Amino acid sequence: MRNFRREISTASDFTLELPETEFSWSLTRHLRFLHCERGYFLHYYAAQGGWDVFADPAVAAVYRGKKTLLFPEWLEEQMDEAWKTALDRVRFLPEKLRPRAFRRRLEQLLLEALERKTEELASDSPEKLPFPDFPLPPEDLFRKGRHDLSEALNFCFSTQIPSSVIRFQKPNRINLNEEYESYFDGIRIWSNPGVFWSEPEMRCSMRFSFRETERSVLQAGADLFAWYIRENFRETAAVSFFFLPENGHWNGLEISGDPDRAEELMGESIAWMRSRIRPGNVVCASDFPECGIPELCRVCRFNLACSLVREL
């Protein structure tokens, strides 16, 4: 096996030949590159081989960081999965019974996910992945997660969105295992529109965020959804609904997407990322600087990996 420790120890000399896989793009990948290029490098390039039991500790730490989620990200992932699963399980019930059964099943799925994660974090398993931004005991995480999920659901169900989702949901519309992908300029584009449904003359999506998020990021998500709808259904009416905390309170936003703006973002972002790939299809760590913001580094999923690199 290659001596990754030696390669990483001198960042200016640490070059990595890219595997023969196609370059792809997603909004998540764009945001990772935007927030910290070193984190982007570690996630998409330097984690190679970290899964091997004989991998160097530094590389194993990079791979472990790649698999780690921040606590808000985990809540968002569980909410997305729970909605899709609950919709799938109640879709054949009589329409009058569907709303109550849906919420009961939704809350049950989220509680079960919290219980499983709490048990995992309380165990001594070497495979557990703690949240780098939540150092408190598992029981505190359980209480915090239950509170945040409950607040989000209570606000969401005070709106008409859940009724619309349940009413207009097609039996085959939501597929938990479906990958939403399209191509832009020959490049595979990955996207997850969250809960996706159809209303008369309009396609809709809904996402939850458990962190305050810049409006520009939400707009980019809405634009990408509109682009996906145009590419796959040849339709132009698309709107995205976002539920997220703002100034300590939950809020709901309705944002119309612009597919042309999505193409502009993708074109610029892809060119930016590809500019870091050197001739010969290799990347070098020194071309991907750290963000250098201490408060962000403290809760970064690659905090340990970066620390190991600095100590070499």
Side-chain angles (χ1 to χ4, degrees), residues 16 130 156 174 176 208 246 250 255 307 312:
L16 182 67
C156 178
I174 300 263
L176 197 59
F208 285 84
E246 289 187 331
W250 278 87
I255 302 179
S307 298
L312 292 174

Side-chain angles (χ1 to χ4, degrees), residues 113-233:
L114 265 176
E115 290 174 342
R116 287 194 301 271
K117 191 63 177 179
T118 302
E119 291 175 359
E120 174 194 327
L121 294 177
S123 72
D124 296 324
S125 171
E127 302 300 321
K128 70 178 181 181
L129 295 173
F131 299 111
D133 57 335
F134 200 100
L136 299 179
E139 57 270 22
D140 290 338
L141 182 141
F142 180 85
R143 285 192 290 269
K144 171 67 172 170
R146 185 170 58 181
H147 172 271
D148 289 355
L149 290 168
S150 177
E151 291 285 306
L153 286 181
N154 286 338
F155 180 83
C156 178
F157 277 86
S158 71
T159 72
Q160 295 299 314
I161 298 301
S163 297
S164 296
V165 174
I166 294 170
R167 179 181 178 187
F168 293 111
Q169 173 66 29
K170 300 291 181 64
N172 62 347
R173 174 61 64 197
I174 300 263
N175 184 334
L176 197 59
N177 299 314
E178 185 173 353
E179 295 284 359
Y180 296 97
E181 58 176 295
S182 298
Y183 281 86
F184 168 71
D185 199 21
I187 294 173
R188 189 188 300 269
I189 306 298
W190 300 100
S191 65
N192 178 5
V195 178
F196 172 25
W197 74 100
S198 300
E199 295 190 14
E201 301 181 355
M202 181 178 295
R203 304 275 181 163
C204 304
S205 74
M206 181 194 70
R207 297 299 301 269
F208 285 84
S209 176
F210 286 84
R211 50 202 154 163
E212 295 198 8
T213 307
E214 297 177 4
R215 295 296 177 94
S216 60
V217 174
L218 301 178
Q219 182 65 68
D223 292 341
L224 187 60
F225 175 63
W227 177 81
Y228 171 81
I229 293 301
R230 187 179 70 180
E231 293 298 303
N232 290 275
F233 301 101

